[in-house]
Amino acid sequence: MATFKFELVSPERLILSTDADQVDLPGSEGDFGVLAGHAPFLTTLKTGIVTVKTGGVSSRIYVRGGFADVNAAGLSVLAEKAVPEGEFDSAVASAELAAAEAVLAEAKSEEAKDSAVAVLGEVKTAIAALA
C-alpha cells in the first residue's frame, strides 16, 4: 500500500510524524479518511479521535478542534489539543469534560448553548472510545 507523510502538531509539541497508510479524522462536516494521493483540501476538525494506520498497526490520538490540510506533500493536522491514547488518562478526561462543561455554563445564546452541548457530547464520545 502506498504511504504518505502525516504530521500532527499541537501548541505544546509535535505529537506524531510518520509515513502513514491511512488516517481517519473527525471532520467538522463529518468523519473522513485520507489515503495516499487524496485530493487536496482544507477543513476544520471537531473533538474526536484521529486513527493512524501504519504497516498494519493502528494508533489513536484524541484531538479537540483544529485544522486538517491535505496536499501533495501529505496530511498536516494542527490541533487545538492533542493527546496520544497512551497518555490519555482519567486526569486528562476529567479536564476535557470540565472544559466542555465550563463552555456550556458560560453560553448565553441558544446557538452557543447548542454548540456547547454538541461539543460536550463529542468529548464524552471520545472519552468512551478511549476507555
Side-chain angles (χ1 to χ4, degrees):
M1 176 176 260
T3 62
F4 60 96
K5 185 70 175 170
F6 170 67
E7 287 192 339
L8 192 151
V9 180
S10 74
E12 295 85 24
R13 65 186 170 124
L14 173 67
I15 302 294
L16 181 63
S17 179
T18 190
D19 290 325
D21 296 325
Q22 179 177 343
V23 179
D24 298 319
L25 302 108
S28 58
E29 299 297 320
D31 294 352
F32 64 97
V34 176
L35 299 169
H38 196 289
F41 76 103
L42 178 68
T43 190
T44 55
L45 299 176
K46 65 180 181 180
T47 298
I49 307 298
V50 172
T51 303
V52 182
K53 297 175 184 170
T54 305
V57 177
S58 291
S59 58
R60 299 185 308 169
I61 303 162
Y62 170 87
V63 295
R64 180 181 3 112
F67 298 92
D69 179 19
V70 182
N71 57 52
L75 168 62
S76 297
V77 172
L78 307 172
E80 290 177 27
K81 176 153 186 111
V83 182
E85 182 175 21
E87 298 173 22
F88 196 90
D89 57 17
S90 61
V92 173
S94 294
E96 287 300 298
L97 275 174
E101 289 168 345
V103 170
L104 177 58
E106 294 173 7
K108 303 285 186 237
S109 69
E110 284 303 312
E111 183 179 340
K113 288 177 184 176
D114 290 346
S115 177
V117 166
V119 170
L120 181 59
E122 292 165 0
V123 169
K124 288 179 179 180
T125 300
I127 290 170
L130 291 174

